[in-house]
Amino acid sequence: MVPLPRKSEDEFASPGARSRASTSASSPDLAEALGADVGTAFRLDPARMTYSQRAEHQKDQGPHSEDEHCTRSPTSFQKRTENYFHRPSSVSRLSANPAITQFTDWASSTPNGWDQLHQMFVREDTNPAGGTYMDNGNQGMRGIVKKRWVILLRNKGYPNDEGAAEVFDEILKESRVDQKGRLGDVVNAPAEPTITLAFLKRFERRAVSVNATLTSRDEQSPASRFVKLLVRERGSSLRAWRLDLDARGTGRVAMVDFTNACRQLGVASQGKLIWNNLRQDKVTPLEFHELDPKEAGNLEDFAETLWSTVGFDLAKAWLFLDTNNQNYLSFDEFKAGVKRLGFDGDVRLIFKGLDSAGLGRMTRADFEYVGKVSRMGHKRLGGINTKGAITDLITWVQRELGGAHELIVKIGLGSGVRQILVGDLAARLTALGFEGDALQAAARAARLEGGTHVTADTLYSLLSGGKPR
């Protein structure tokens, strides 16, 4: 077989490339005048390049910068952008400036805050022919200058004009003009600095990414800002938890209910971010102490007082508090009653959180919500919804005897005798004054041991926090 003649590299080149090469070779003065070669002229106007020329040009220029992502996949660009936002310099730009922190806090905690900011800018619309045009009507302007930005924020309730000006300067840094200085950008640059919707959205992504790096206990974290929103709307995070989040009235909130509540509160875009900031588990329902540990701590102190005084028997506690039998308590009546119980915490915060109507009157249903939302209620009684002989026994032992240890001693389960038959346990409970169904309570306790007897260890564990069966 006769081998084919081998062509030179010039023969494989496109006619346009050979033409430019010949022009460059035959016109050295022109190439020198343009800077190095005729290709420089094409780099000044990328719109005149073909796709292959642009790709070859980008290859010659080396690695892409952050802005030149037109040939990168969206996933790659998104990941690279998030990494850029998480850099220490990016984090410090937002977290170290009090004005920026105040603004992001305001925008994130205001219902539909970021959406309201978006509406200040002009958006593209589509005509019947399928083309796009800029709507210059009442929706806003193509860009917003600093003076108008400050006025618009003031009209939306932002309290700090000087801070708004600093925010404008920070958003302006999202402009690509200062970073790249491309010819088209310079030609089209406005006489007075303006920010556009694209700049604001990039700033918003940066703020969200930075906030995602904070823990839920940080003051500027999404969770902390959400608690501030709840307190501002309802006066208490516990009251907001019951009215806005706990849609099923169980004291715990599933993720789907949480995101729906965020949508109703005007922070739909923040729902998953707040949840992930609180916990990574998407299956287990959220508890109140995870959302607001400070107010939950005060509530748990109150629950401990109820446990130590009335055995967490909320019916008995209500009768103790409602001395006038009027089926509601004013703040003064509630304060006087819980002081008699020995609670020395923040009484007003408890009352404000349980007063669901916000009228200064706490009903019995309001008061009994303590059993659903407190960790004490779930730990000791399995939640206030648990009814039956075991629940009655637990509350009676704590209220009348002072604890499980005292009961074990009184029924004769000392060091020598470590178990008792069901019938004997029921008889001794009745003799001690237990008003509930002693036989049913003894039988349910015996199920843990096979159904015929109850040991001292099992009884102690059950009465000290075991879940009723």
Side-chain angles (χ1 to χ4, degrees), residues 90 126 338:
S90 181
T126 305
V338 297

Side-chain angles (χ1 to χ4, degrees), residues 397-426:
V397 167
Q398 185 65 28
R399 182 181 69 248
E400 301 295 337
L401 304 181
H405 178 72
E406 286 74 10
L407 174 65
I408 291 173
V409 173
K410 287 182 179 296
I411 63 177
L413 291 179
S415 57
V417 181
R418 302 301 298 171
Q419 66 181 26
I420 186 173
L421 295 175
V422 172
D424 292 340
L425 176 59

Side-chain angles (χ1 to χ4, degrees), residues 70 80 95 98 131 135 142-143 152 167 210 213 220 262 303 360 412 417 442 461:
C70 57
R80 186 171 67 258
S95 59
D135 181 9
R142 183 179 298 272
L152 290 174
V167 172
V210 169
T213 65
Q220 300 304 323
C262 289
V417 181
S461 176

Side-chain angles (χ1 to χ4, degrees), residues 207-230:
V208 170
S209 298
V210 169
N211 291 335
T213 65
L214 303 176
T215 65
S216 60
R217 300 296 174 262
D218 290 326
E219 185 177 356
Q220 300 304 323
S221 67
S224 297
R225 289 201 303 267
F226 183 63
V227 171
K228 293 177 183 177
L229 170 63
L230 297 179

Side-chain angles (χ1 to χ4, degrees), residues 326 328-336 351 360-362:
Q326 54 191 4
Y328 70 86
L329 296 172
S330 66
F331 171 71
D332 292 336
E333 293 169 338
F334 179 73
K335 181 179 179 181
F351 186 86
R361 291 186 175 186
M362 179 191 297

Side-chain angles (χ1 to χ4, degrees), residues 4-25:
L4 295 176
R6 189 172 183 178
K7 293 184 178 182
S8 64
E9 295 182 359
D10 292 340
E11 292 180 87
F12 282 106
S14 64
R18 290 197 298 269
S19 175
R20 288 193 299 273
S22 61
T23 302
S24 177

